[in-house]
Amino acid sequence: MQPQFCIRPFSLASGAASVAASVPASVASTVPIGFTERKLGVEGVNVPLSVWFPLDSSSSSSSSSSSSSPKAVTYSYKLCYSKLVRMMMGINVPFEIAKSFKIPSSALSTSLPIPSNSNFIIFAHGFLGSRFDMLHLCELLASRGYTVLAPELPESISNSFETTDGVSRDSIVDATMSFIRRENPNPRFGIFGHSMGGGTAAQNSNSFPLGRVSIAGYRPGATVDPTLIVASEGDMVIPLNRITTALPPSSTTVTFTGEPILDIKSIISQHNTISFIMSEISTDPGLFQTNHISFLSPSTNDALVSGLRALIPLAKALKMPLLDMDLYMNSRDSAIALTKFQDVVLDFYDFHSKQ
């Protein structure tokens, strides 16, 4: 039996708290959101799919009619050590070693059908990530009226399915879109991804008229879809110059230095490809530059820190990539990072959803 852990709601570390920042009010959903889990059939493999979607007042009442009060979802996040060893060191462990973490949320568990008249946004996680990596942004997008679809991908740290030939990132994205098209013949899709998922978002061959958002990872693709690239100078996994040198010549760069960008909506309306560069330099030791995993959900990062903290010294001794885990253990700045980039992502999708 796998050990079970409960992750308490995130609180800012004392050093980061000095900036007096917290998750903004807009993150607290004013529109109830539903959550459900489905399975995608891909080349005979059952791939987990998490779905967040908006609930209107009548549907949220219906979803809880069998109970005295609505039930909030508890996400089940699994950290598979044997998968980690195989992917990072090339050593096959003949049995699974894993821990499961319970992450509370404000989404409501529901058996209601997925909305058929919604704009759909797919989330692609990164290398050794999971479909819950950016659950804070998935929930936020759902509260804004989008249906968000997050499939598990082959490199997932959760090890949710056996990978076989034909089960690739692109085939899973294709299956996710086909799943929606069975009930909705004319859906409109967008996609966003983190790290390797940023490359997936940029390069997948499907059409995404709502736009493509690559966060902390980007690879150029032959696309006319609106594109937003979010990157940080503090990312030690995918350095900023690796992203900026890959940007198409037609892209427009917006540099965020800590102050709100008042004309961001105008910039989005005028340019098809935008790079949003987080360039934060501070002499205050209590402030941290956004690193590679700062973009992930605070609750997911809490689980990662809890599950991997003891292994960091060994990983350093073996010169294994730490994927900025060592930086994040000091900064614990996921909630702060969200306040820096969420508005540009929301404004980007909101603008293109109306076109």
Side-chain angles (χ1 to χ4, degrees), residues 227-269:
T227 301
L228 172 66
I229 301 103
V230 179
S232 171
E233 284 187 344
D235 190 332
M236 299 293 107
V237 178
I238 301 181
L240 182 59
N241 65 352
R242 183 169 149 192
I243 292 178
T244 55
T245 55
L247 293 174
S250 61
S251 67
T252 295
T253 297
V254 177
T255 302
F256 173 82
T257 58
E259 298 296 325
I261 300 173
L262 301 179
D263 60 344
I264 190 64
K265 292 183 180 180
S266 175
I267 294 171
I268 290 170
S269 69

Side-chain angles (χ1 to χ4, degrees), residues 98 104 231 299 323:
S299 297
L323 305 179

Side-chain angles (χ1 to χ4, degrees), residues 81-86 90-97:
Y81 297 102
S82 44
K83 178 72 170 284
L84 182 67
V85 169
R86 182 168 78 249
I91 299 174
N92 284 319
V93 180
F95 49 87
E96 184 174 271
I97 305 170

Side-chain angles (χ1 to χ4, degrees), residues 284-301:
D284 186 339
L287 299 181
F288 301 91
Q289 285 188 310
T290 304
N291 63 61
H292 193 68
I293 65 171
S294 299
F295 291 101
L296 305 187
S297 159
S299 297
T300 307
N301 272 339

Side-chain angles (χ1 to χ4, degrees), residues 6 39 69 132-133 159 196 218 221 254 258 277 339 343:
C6 182
K39 294 287 187 181
S69 61
F132 297 118
D133 273 2
N159 198 37
M196 180 184 283
Y218 171 74
V254 177
I277 307 301
T339 68
D343 286 345

Side-chain angles (χ1 to χ4, degrees), residues 327-340:
L327 298 179
Y328 184 79
M329 286 171 62
N330 290 323
S331 67
R332 302 297 285 266
D333 62 333
S334 284
I336 297 172
L338 180 63
T339 68
K340 300 172 183 177

